[in-house]
Amino acid sequence: MQAFQLEVHETQSALVTRGIQLWQQAAAVAIAERGSFTVALAGGSTPKQLYSALATTAGLEWSRTMVFWGDERYVPHDHPDSNYLMARQTLLDHVPIPPENVYPWPTDAGDPATDSQRYRVSMSRIFPGEWPIFDLILLGIGGDGHTASLFPGSAALAVTDQWTAVGEKSGEPRLTLTFPVLNQGRQVIFFVAGEGKAAIMQEVLTTDPQYPSQQVHPQGSLLWLLDAPAAAQLPLKVGL
Ligand code: 6PG
């Protein structure tokens, strides 16, 4: 298993504070070194507090920040399940980010594969190379060990020659970045909170690879950022 960093913070509030600090650091380095900061956001509910706190964090250079998503549900952008809508409501509608810096997955072609390819084309405007290299990729983890929309048993797990793929959850299509793209990341952070994730965290960090999230081995750094409830079943002696 690739080396990884693990941080456990006593509360979700402390976790959010640390998440902001890591975002600030990643953005500052990227902008200093390359003139812009490319980030792929996680969906779901866990990141909401982080995004809301980022919205009131001073000093972030939103004009140089390029926002993408690691995955998206195949729903309209105004649908309550939309990861894009969630990020807009918690963060993007509250910061001075130029609209052209925000790259939502298209979900209006009526065909997930078409929209998956369209996203790859839009990404290539920012990432001209063979593979996109994100400065920061935020990920969550599901109770089944999925991450982004790379779910156990789905064909998307085996896609190694594309930037994007069509995943599926319980028969519903999902759009997702592929493992090669996640693994090109300069910094990948799994942002995990709540006792509901304690069991899967114990499995993922202490057993042989069997879950999609265990296939994330970025060329850059890998950090598991947990609150104490999510870390409760880890065999750690933590001086919390
Ligand atoms: C999504 C996410 C997904 C999420 C996990 C955890 O579209 O739902 O990208 O990978 O991160 O399912 O979701 P919660 O944060 O809601 O537990």
Side-chain angles (χ1 to χ4, degrees):
M1 181 178 216
Q2 178 202 14
F4 60 87
Q5 296 168 291
L6 169 65
E7 289 187 15
V8 179
H9 294 269
E10 192 164 356
T11 63
Q12 189 159 1
S13 167
L15 185 73
V16 166
T17 300
R18 179 64 173 145
I20 289 172
Q21 185 183 48
L22 289 162
W23 177 296
Q24 288 172 314
Q25 291 167 353
V29 168
I31 290 167
E33 292 182 358
R34 289 175 293 279
S36 67
F37 172 49
T38 56
V39 57
L41 298 180
S45 57
T46 303
K48 288 180 178 176
Q49 281 192 27
L50 172 63
Y51 299 166
S52 297
L54 281 168
T56 58
T57 298
L60 295 174
E61 290 194 70
W62 291 107
S63 65
R64 293 174 178 265
T65 299
M66 307 294 163
V67 173
F68 298 80
W69 278 258
D71 71 315
E72 185 57 278
R73 292 82 182 276
Y74 203 62
V75 295
H77 286 170
D78 60 0
H79 189 285
D81 289 349
S82 166
N83 288 334
Y84 167 66
L85 181 63
M86 182 274 276
R88 278 198 51 192
Q89 289 171 335
T90 54
L91 173 58
L92 301 175
D93 287 353
H94 309 285
V95 295
I97 188 166
E100 62 271 21
N101 288 19
V102 179
Y103 291 81
W105 287 81
T107 59
D108 57 358
D111 170 43
T114 300
D115 280 323
S116 173
Q117 275 309 309
R118 286 168 68 194
Y119 199 55
R120 189 251 185 268
V121 171
S122 65
M123 288 173 69
S124 59
R125 289 204 292 274
I126 294 295
F127 299 106
E130 184 188 359
W131 289 99
I133 303 178
F134 283 94
D135 295 307
L136 176 61
I137 300 174
L138 293 177
L139 293 173
I141 187 171
D144 59 0
H146 81 264
T147 191
S149 280
L150 296 162
F151 288 86
S154 79
L157 300 179
V159 177
T160 57
D161 59 350
Q162 302 289 325
W163 293 14
T164 62
V166 178
E168 60 92 19
K169 176 183 183 180
S170 316
E172 290 300 313
R174 294 280 193 97
L175 302 175
T176 188
L177 297 181
T178 57
F179 281 125
V181 172
L182 301 185
N183 289 332
Q184 286 289 334
R186 291 190 175 91
Q187 184 171 11
V188 174
I189 298 176
F190 279 89
F191 193 78
V192 189
E195 61 183 357
K197 301 294 171 71
I200 191 62
M201 284 313 312
Q202 190 274 339
E203 288 279 301
V204 161
L205 295 188
T206 67
T207 67
D208 292 339
Q210 55 184 308
Y211 299 102
S213 52
Q214 290 172 304
Q215 296 181 50
V216 177
H217 307 297
Q219 60 148 344
S221 65
L222 174 59
L223 170 63
W224 290 89
L225 195 57
L226 279 58
D227 67 1
Q233 294 183 25
L234 295 180
L236 299 171
K237 295 285 177 280
V238 182
L240 282 175

